Amino acid sequence: MRDVEVVQPNAFDLLLWDICVKGGCCGGPASHVTDLLPSNGIVTAAEFASLVIQAEGGGGNEEWLAAKFVERMGSSSMPAQALVQNLAQPFDVDAD
């Protein structure tokens, strides 16, 4: 018998998935939007969209990115501390 921990994505994980898979904004060669986010304060949807485009090295649909932020995060602004990926990994526990 094995126990497996299921790791659920949070809203920010789903946002990053949307903008990468559906929008092609997966980060540039040297940075990712998560590298550019402030560590505190409030991040607006427009600021997030601008940071995504900056990480991409330019180009992109800021309106679409901002709309995805609002859709996934449920608000047009969020505390920076809420914009954190769930990096937990599932693991198997051997039964004795």
Side-chain angles (χ1 to χ4, degrees), residues 15-91:
L15 171 61
L16 294 177
W17 186 88
D18 274 350
I19 66 171
C20 181
V21 174
K22 294 179 181 177
C25 295
C26 303
S31 68
H32 187 267
V33 67
T34 55
D35 300 325
L36 303 176
L37 290 169
S39 58
N40 55 40
I42 299 295
V43 177
T44 67
E47 290 168 334
F48 177 79
S50 178
L51 292 173
V52 169
I53 290 171
Q54 182 180 341
E56 289 293 308
N61 185 333
E62 283 193 54
E63 289 180 16
W64 182 83
L65 291 165
K68 280 294 170 188
F69 181 96
V70 173
E71 176 186 327
R72 286 297 188 181
M73 301 309 293
S75 177
S76 62
S77 63
M78 294 294 293
Q81 296 88 340
L83 304 178
V84 177
Q85 289 179 279
N86 180 359
L87 298 176
Q89 296 293 313
F91 60 92

